[in-house]
């Protein structure tokens, strides 16, 4: 279990560094992005993997995003960068890409398949995956932005 | 945005140099705000920084932020002069280095009151700060997408396929961007290329998780920052701007889906 959590943290850190590069952050920010993403993603993984009491992906994402948000705001003054610099690349590994993919696939198959029973099957796939995707995105956005509004003073004086 | 203008500690001391006119300050702030917006800043940061700079020169600034334009009014309380500037938001790649630099500049102006010409010079320097080298991006982004694939449960073969598919797609993204091709068309083409290449995993029976390879190969195109910025603006009650950013993100996502769908149809892949 511990090995899997560490693996999850490692790959989340690599993903965060790569996605951070797209948004051209200051060099010092890469290490923090990796650290925050690893902490957030591995926390989500751990919460979902608890035997018999594992959390659903939506509340687990909300809690992980809150951790990411708090870490981003509290660490941003060290680098003198806006908290968003750490926040976005750290959140991106939690983007529900496979749910979006399956939701979109379900929609396409709904259009292609004619009979009522197959339509209902694919519509179920479309609806369940799309709703999960939407609520994960919502949990990510709300969880990550709440700390910014809770600690406005730190958020907006970090670059001072 | 009224509470942060003149009552903060940021405006205790006026600059030792002759203050710029309200007109020149208005023109500078319009340029500053549009550049900060394009670099990926949220509306609340825009308001805080702009009012901080104006307050440092004993002026008041009010702004309205629209999805494609920013309107700024600067009032000089002593003379009663006021000027308004409306600027179009130009499209620049999102850059947190510029975002951080411009935010630091606003605090430097508030704390140290440098000469206006120095401020303008530093603004120009920050805006021309170098981007991440192309070669580094071509290594880091595919690596990130391959790691992403692993996080979704993809095997080693799927990771390798996603790396190659992302490399090719991102290379095309850079080439098309250089030629000034519309970004939406670029996303469709890149998603198409990446999904066609990622389909190799399933077509040749290379690995055990071909669906994850195809699903992950296009994720480097997901407009994550506009999505999250739109929620941030919504929480700060900038509904119009939030709606604009969300619509932009949805349009890009639709383009991505279109490219993915085209690629899968060409390769004769079923999504399930």
């Amino acid at each position: 279990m511990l090995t899997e959590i560490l693996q999850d943290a490692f790959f989340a850190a690599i993903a965060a560094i790569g996605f951070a590069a797209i948004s051209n952050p200051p060099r010092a920010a890469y290490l923090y992005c990796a650290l925050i993403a690893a902490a957030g993603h591995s926390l989500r993984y751990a919460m979902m993997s608890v035997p018999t009491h594992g959390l659903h992906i939506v509340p687990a994402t909300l809690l992980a995003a809150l951790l990411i948000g708090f870490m981003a705001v509290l660490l941003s003054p060290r680098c003198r960068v806006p908290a968003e610099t750490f926040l976005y690349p750290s959140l991106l590994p939690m983007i529900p890409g496979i749910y979006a993919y399956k939701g979109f696939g379900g929609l396409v198959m709904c259009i292609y398949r004619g009979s009522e029973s197959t339509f209902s099957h694919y519509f179920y796939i479309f609806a369940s995956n799309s709703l999960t995707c939407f609520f994960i995105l919502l949990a990510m956005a709300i969880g990550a932005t709440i700390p910014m509004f809770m600690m406005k003073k730190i958020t907006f004086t970090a670059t001072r | 945005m009224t509470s942060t203008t003149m009552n903060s500690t940021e405006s205790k001391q006026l600059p030792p140099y002759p203050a710029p006119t309200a007109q020149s300050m208005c023109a500078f702030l319009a340029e500053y705000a549009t550049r900060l917006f394009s670099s990926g800043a949220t509306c609340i940061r825009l308001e805080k920084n702009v009012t901080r700079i104006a307050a440092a020169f004993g002026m008041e600034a009010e702004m309205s932020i629209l999805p494609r334009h920013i309107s700024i009014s600067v009032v000089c309380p002593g003379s009663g002069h006021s000027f308004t500037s409306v600027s179009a938001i130009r499209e620049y790649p999102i850059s947190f280095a510029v975002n951080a630099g411009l935010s630091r500049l606003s605090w430097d102006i508030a704390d140290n009151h440098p000469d206006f010409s120095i401020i303008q010079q530093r603004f120009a320097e920050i805006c021309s700060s170098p981007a991440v080298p192309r070669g580094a991006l071509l290594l880091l982004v595919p690596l990130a997408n391959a790691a992403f694939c692993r996080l979704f449960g993809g095997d080693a073969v799927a990771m390798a396929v996603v790396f190659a598919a992302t490399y090719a797609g991102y290379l095309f993204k850079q080439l098309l961007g250089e030629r000034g091709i519309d970004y939406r068309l670029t996303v469709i083409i890149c998603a198409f290329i990446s999904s066609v290449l990622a389909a190799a995993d399933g077509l040749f029976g290379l690995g055990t998780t071909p669906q994850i390879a195809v699903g992950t190969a296009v994720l480097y195109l997901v407009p994550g920052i506009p999505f999250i910025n739109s929620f941030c603006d919504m929480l700060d009650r900038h509904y119009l701007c939030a709606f604009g950013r969300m619509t932009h993100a949805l349009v890009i996502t639709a383009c991505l889906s279109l490219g993915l769908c085209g690629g899968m149809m060409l390769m004769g892949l079923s999504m399930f």
Side-chain angles (χ1 to χ4, degrees):
Chain A
M1 177 78 172
L2 183 65
T3 316
E4 286 165 358
I5 292 173
L6 288 176
Q7 264 187 13
D8 189 85
F10 175 72
F11 286 112
I14 293 180
I17 291 173
F19 290 123
I22 298 177
S23 53
N24 191 27
R27 268 191 194 169
Y30 285 103
L31 184 65
Y32 289 96
C33 289
L35 179 75
I36 297 170
H41 206 279
S42 59
L43 174 72
R44 183 174 85 157
Y45 182 79
M47 284 190 294
M48 288 168 63
S49 308
V50 177
T52 68
H53 290 90
L55 273 183
H56 184 263
I57 192 167
V58 175
T61 303
L62 180 68
L63 293 174
L66 272 171
L67 175 73
I68 287 173
F70 279 114
M71 285 181 78
V73 172
L74 293 173
L75 292 175
S76 58
R78 284 173 173 254
C79 235
R80 287 187 70 211
V81 294
E84 299 96 292
T85 310
F86 298 155
L87 199 61
Y88 300 147
S90 310
L91 278 177
L92 284 178
M94 295 204 297
I95 287 267
I98 292 298
Y99 287 101
Y101 168 77
K102 286 183 178 169
F104 179 67
L107 179 68
V108 172
M109 297 303 270
C110 277
I111 298 164
Y112 274 100
R113 304 292 176 196
S115 80
E116 190 175 341
S117 60
T118 41
F119 180 88
S120 300
H121 171 67
Y122 285 119
F123 192 80
Y124 164 76
I125 292 174
F126 159 65
S128 66
N129 282 290
S130 302
L131 281 174
T132 310
C133 175
F134 173 75
F135 283 110
I136 292 173
L137 281 174
L138 201 63
M140 278 170 62
I142 292 175
T145 43
I146 281 176
M148 287 173 65
F149 285 91
M150 275 175 69
M151 299 185 286
K152 268 189 179 176
K153 195 173 177 192
I154 302 177
T155 304
F156 295 106
T157 54
T159 52
R160 193 168 196 174
Chain B
M1 113 166 220
T2 49
S3 61
T4 53
T5 48
M6 292 299 289
N7 58 352
S8 66
T9 52
E10 299 158 19
S11 57
K12 277 181 183 171
Q13 192 188 345
L14 288 177
Y17 306 99
T21 61
Q23 188 177 9
S24 55
M25 177 54 75
C26 188
F28 171 72
L29 287 179
E31 205 177 338
Y32 176 94
T34 50
R35 194 67 179 85
L36 189 59
F37 188 96
S38 325
S39 67
T42 53
C43 288
I44 186 168
R45 186 167 295 281
L46 225 68
E47 286 182 344
K48 294 256 181 203
N49 289 7
V50 164
T51 49
R52 183 182 301 139
I53 294 172
F57 289 98
M59 297 178 198
E60 289 175 18
E62 292 287 347
M63 60 197 296
S64 60
I65 307 165
L66 298 168
R68 287 184 65 93
H69 293 84
I70 293 179
S71 165
I72 294 188
S73 293
V74 171
V75 181
C76 195
S79 63
H81 290 153
S82 76
F83 290 90
T84 299
S85 175
V86 181
S87 294
I89 296 166
R90 277 166 286 172
E91 283 185 25
Y92 292 102
I94 287 172
S95 167
F96 281 121
V98 172
N99 187 342
L102 293 180
S103 296
R104 282 181 204 151
L105 177 65
S106 75
W107 276 114
D108 189 37
I109 294 169
D111 292 337
N112 303 319
H113 303 289
D115 185 31
F116 192 58
S117 61
I118 293 172
I119 293 170
Q120 286 174 311
Q121 187 189 336
R122 282 194 50 203
F123 173 73
E125 283 168 9
I126 292 167
C127 291
S128 58
S129 56
V132 178
R134 266 182 63 154
L137 276 175
L138 271 175
L139 176 70
L140 289 173
V141 176
L143 211 56
N145 228 15
F148 219 170
C149 175
R150 176 68 181 77
L151 290 174
F152 286 125
D155 58 11
V157 175
M159 285 174 72
V161 168
V162 166
F163 183 91
T166 309
Y167 185 93
Y170 203 79
L171 182 65
F172 265 86
K173 187 171 177 258
Q174 289 180 330
L175 293 173
L176 295 172
E178 275 171 16
R179 281 158 182 74
I181 306 293
D182 186 278
Y183 187 65
R184 291 158 291 190
L185 183 61
T186 301
V187 170
I188 295 174
I189 294 170
C190 295
F192 178 81
I193 291 168
S194 292
S195 55
V196 166
L197 292 175
D201 192 1
L203 282 180
F204 301 114
L206 301 174
T208 54
T209 52
Q211 283 187 356
I212 292 176
V214 178
T216 319
V218 294
L219 291 184
Y220 64 98
L221 296 164
V222 169
I225 293 173
F227 262 128
I228 298 168
N229 269 349
S230 76
F231 276 102
C232 204
D233 288 345
M234 204 184 292
L235 285 179
D236 197 42
R237 291 173 295 163
H238 279 280
Y239 297 121
L240 203 56
C241 209
F243 181 75
R245 290 203 216 238
M246 179 62 79
T247 308
H248 170 70
L250 289 175
V251 168
I252 298 301
T253 309
C255 293
L256 188 165
S257 307
L258 200 64
L260 172 69
C261 198
M264 292 183 72
M265 281 171 72
L266 181 75
M267 304 308 283
L269 284 184
S270 164
M271 284 195 156
F272 299 102

